[in-house]
Amino acid sequence: MESATLFTMLFTLGIIWGGCAFVIILAMRRERSKKAHEP
Amino acid sequence: MSNRQEFFTSRWGMILAVIGIAVGTGNIWRFPRIVAQNDGGSFLIPWVIFLFIWSIPLIITEIAIGKKTRKGTIGAISEIAGNRFGWMGAFVGFVATAIMFYYAVVAGWCIRYLYTSFTGSIVTTADHVALWDSFTAGYQPLVFHAMAMLIGVYIIYLGVVNGIERWNRILVPALLVMLLMLAVRAVTLDGAMEGIVYLFTPNLERLFDYRIWLQALTQNAWDTGAGWGLILTYAIYLRKREDIALNAAVTGLSNNSVSLLAAIIVFATIFGIAGAAGVEELEIGTGSTNIGMAFIFLPQLFTQMPGSPIVQSFFSSIFFLSLSVAAISSLISMIELAVRIFIDMGLQRRTAIALVGSLGFLFGIPSALSLTVFYNQDWVWGVALMISGGFISFSVIKYGVDRFRREIVNGEGSDVYIGKWYNFVIALLIPLQVTVLIVWWLYSSTQWDPDGWWNPFGAETLGTCLFQWGIILAIFIAFNKAIVGRTLKHTTQKK
């Protein structure tokens, strides 16, 4: 696999799939923390 | 059934519902085709960038407006931008509703092909072009259009929690599971890896071609649902404690994740079955249009898939079930948008649903019976969506972008802080992108038909856009006072 292909694959999958996983985990953590502080 | 305000019961219920809006047929049948026509990896880089400077900021804006105003598009834009600009909200609502008319026809096609796959006749058909032509030439599209509208209306009739939220909790995860099944089958075909390499290989010379950047922006504008007014409508049902920006990021990234998955499925399947020659079909052959790819080219590939006809039918059924689910989950948001506008004008929810359902069926008939009408409507209202995005951005500019960001986006329930970059994107980048896109698409249309571009009755001409937009805008501007007055009278009473 050429380096340009590898770069594009890592760039795209990293930002889109990696970013998606990151924001979902962050949302889960914030939700848990919100629930813990709710009366 | 009363007009009592309902709320999504949880954050994830709301997120799945909004993903249901965003993930539609555009992710599955348009994205892979556009990637093929724009040199694979060269397209992906700008496509990723525009997610962050078009889709996510507009999703944030829509959620914030809906949550703040608790009104449909007319009431919401009147409240944010001022009553003088209520016609903009009416236009945003009309564009999404006009798309609903023909999108229900598309959902009907998907259901019809699901049936054809399920019975196995799709793999025994020798000529898929003839199959498509005979289907669209008859009355069947009308029957399946009615079926799609009935399914959509039924879900909306069940309400926000029991209808929209509960059904999206089933449909969206089911769609993901089905796409993953298709992906596993596709990437295990011999030669599939070549397709994935093709998908991610950039043509560095074309990376700076402005047309690739404009196509990448267009794809984000059309397939994330940002700027349509649909997300704004669902955000009406968001509890006060819910966040805006993080939920918008989850939605945008999830939508584009599904697009990537669909592209991997399509490219792996093409290279695994037809080899590199298959990509030419996506670029210039029968697969070079959305309809050609979904209803002619891919079914042909399914019949050549290794395994018995039952296996081929199974994967074809999964594909068309995925398309149907994606279409229905988006269709219901379009119905809800129109229903909400009528509720804001004082109609009972039940009456509004009956009215929108009937109008949706009636005004979808021309597109169901004529592909020329279908292409015309897709062209006119597809480009108009960019105007809708511009109107939403304009509303925030009128309100004060920094005030909007501080008071609403970063207001109650916010999980992440949105900095001043948002002001720059909404006040400058979105209007710039809207202008460039509209000018480019309209100019391109004059090149497709140099002699008849002015024709108001042409299928895909500049004239038909200006003619249809002009009529609708003139009506809404002329009756702005009455429309806004009626909406605010009832929504203010409710508050």
Side-chain angles (χ1 to χ4, degrees), chain B residues 232-481:
Chain B
L232 182 159
T233 304
Y234 275 11
I236 295 170
Y237 312 114
L238 207 61
R239 294 176 298 181
K240 265 190 174 176
R241 70 181 284 285
E242 302 293 3
D243 157 83
I244 292 172
L246 191 53
N247 288 347
V250 171
T251 305
L253 284 159
S254 300
N255 174 73
N256 284 25
S257 294
V258 171
S259 293
L260 265 185
L261 187 60
I264 288 171
I265 293 167
V266 170
F267 282 95
T269 306
I270 289 172
F271 275 79
I273 295 174
V279 176
E280 281 178 28
E281 281 293 312
L282 276 191
E283 292 173 1
I284 51 171
T286 50
S288 66
T289 62
N290 294 333
I291 289 172
M293 182 194 138
F295 299 107
I296 296 168
F297 181 50
L298 281 179
Q300 280 170 353
L301 290 186
F302 285 126
T303 62
Q304 297 161 30
M305 191 172 250
S308 67
I310 294 173
V311 173
Q312 294 165 350
S313 287
F314 174 76
F315 283 103
S316 181
S317 300
I318 295 286
F319 175 75
F320 283 106
L321 186 57
S322 306
L323 266 185
S324 304
V325 164
I328 294 291
S329 64
S330 300
L331 178 66
I332 58 174
S333 66
M334 297 172 199
I335 299 173
E336 178 63 26
L337 177 146
V339 165
R340 183 68 205 199
I341 287 174
F342 285 120
I343 290 174
D344 284 355
M345 289 184 168
L347 262 62
Q348 286 295 309
R349 187 170 175 86
R350 190 195 299 254
T351 315
I353 292 171
L355 181 64
V356 172
S358 309
L359 291 176
F361 173 69
L362 283 175
F363 286 102
I365 290 174
S367 296
L369 295 179
S370 161
L371 280 177
T372 308
V373 175
F374 173 84
Y375 287 130
N376 171 264
Q377 291 298 289
D378 193 23
W379 160 244
V380 171
W381 304 116
V383 180
L385 279 174
M386 291 151 195
I387 304 178
S388 294
F391 283 170
I392 287 174
S393 146
F394 171 83
S395 306
V396 177
I397 294 169
K398 279 290 291 176
Y399 186 86
V401 186
D402 197 55
R403 182 180 155 213
F404 184 86
R405 179 183 67 88
R406 282 184 285 108
E407 291 177 4
I408 308 175
V409 177
N410 288 328
E412 188 177 347
S414 165
D415 280 341
V416 286
Y417 177 78
I418 292 297
K420 287 191 172 173
W421 61 266
Y422 174 84
N423 302 358
F424 173 71
V425 173
I426 294 294
L428 199 73
L429 288 187
I430 298 282
L432 181 69
Q433 292 172 88
V434 167
T435 309
V436 170
L437 271 185
I438 292 173
V439 169
W440 181 62
W441 275 105
L442 294 182
Y443 173 74
S444 299
S445 71
T446 63
Q447 306 299 302
W448 304 333
D449 186 2
D451 297 326
W453 60 267
W454 52 269
N455 185 356
F457 303 107
E460 290 169 282
T461 60
L462 170 62
T464 193
C465 281
L466 299 180
F467 179 61
Q468 295 186 53
W469 297 346
I471 290 175
I472 296 303
L473 281 170
I475 292 172
F476 288 147
I477 292 170
F479 292 98
N480 182 62
K481 209 170 174 183

Side-chain angles (χ1 to χ4, degrees), chain B residues 2-165:
Chain B
S2 70
N3 284 355
R4 184 176 51 86
Q5 172 83 50
E6 286 187 276
F7 293 100
F8 288 114
T9 58
S10 75
R11 173 183 209 142
W12 299 105
M14 178 266 173
I15 287 178
L16 286 174
V18 179
I19 292 174
I21 297 175
V23 177
T25 50
N27 301 65
I28 301 171
W29 76 11
R30 189 175 191 274
F31 178 73
R33 181 177 68 78
I34 295 297
V35 173
Q37 289 172 345
N38 289 281
D39 281 333
S42 313
F43 173 85
L44 293 176
I45 293 170
W47 175 73
V48 169
I49 293 170
F50 283 121
L51 171 68
F52 294 96
I53 59 172
W54 173 277
S55 306
I56 292 178
L58 274 177
I59 296 173
I60 290 175
T61 308
E62 283 204 45
I63 297 178
I65 294 176
K67 187 184 172 194
K68 156 83 178 161
T69 63
R70 308 284 179 196
K71 295 184 181 94
T73 55
I74 299 177
I77 290 193
S78 301
E79 189 172 322
I80 294 290
N83 293 351
R84 278 190 302 140
F85 300 103
W87 58 270
M88 289 186 175
F91 184 80
V92 171
F94 183 85
V95 171
T97 308
I99 290 174
M100 175 193 81
F101 297 150
Y102 68 83
Y103 199 73
V105 175
V106 172
W109 293 343
C110 298
I111 296 169
R112 172 66 175 84
Y113 266 68
L114 168 63
Y115 174 75
T116 312
S117 302
F118 193 70
T119 57
S121 52
I122 203 158
V123 293
T124 54
T125 301
D127 188 346
H128 285 87
V129 177
L131 179 71
W132 171 254
D133 286 344
S134 69
F135 165 57
T136 50
Y139 65 90
Q140 283 194 36
L142 199 56
V143 175
F144 285 93
H145 160 57
M147 195 184 287
M149 274 310 293
L150 275 176
I151 295 170
V153 162
Y154 174 70
I155 293 174
I156 293 302
Y157 175 78
L158 292 173
V160 173
V161 175
N162 291 328
I164 296 171
E165 182 174 347

Side-chain angles (χ1 to χ4, degrees), chain A residues 1-2 4-9 11-13 15-17 19-20 23-24 26-28 30-31 34-35 38, chain B residues 11-12 41 44 48 51-52 193 196-197 200-202 241 243 246 250 253-254 256-257 260 264 413 415-416:
Chain A
M1 197 182 291
E2 286 179 30
T5 306
L6 194 62
F7 169 79
T8 312
M9 186 185 270
F11 174 82
T12 312
L13 293 181
I15 293 180
I16 301 295
W17 286 2
C20 188
V23 290
I24 287 174
L26 188 60
M28 287 166 80
R30 293 291 158 94
E31 190 62 21
K34 237 181 206 173
K35 277 189 178 155
E38 271 174 355
Chain B
R11 173 183 209 142
W12 299 105
L44 293 176
V48 169
L51 171 68
F52 294 96
M193 196 57 200
I196 294 169
V197 169
F200 289 104
T201 301
R241 70 181 284 285
D243 157 83
L246 191 53
V250 171
L253 284 159
S254 300
N256 284 25
S257 294
L260 265 185
I264 288 171
D415 280 341
V416 286

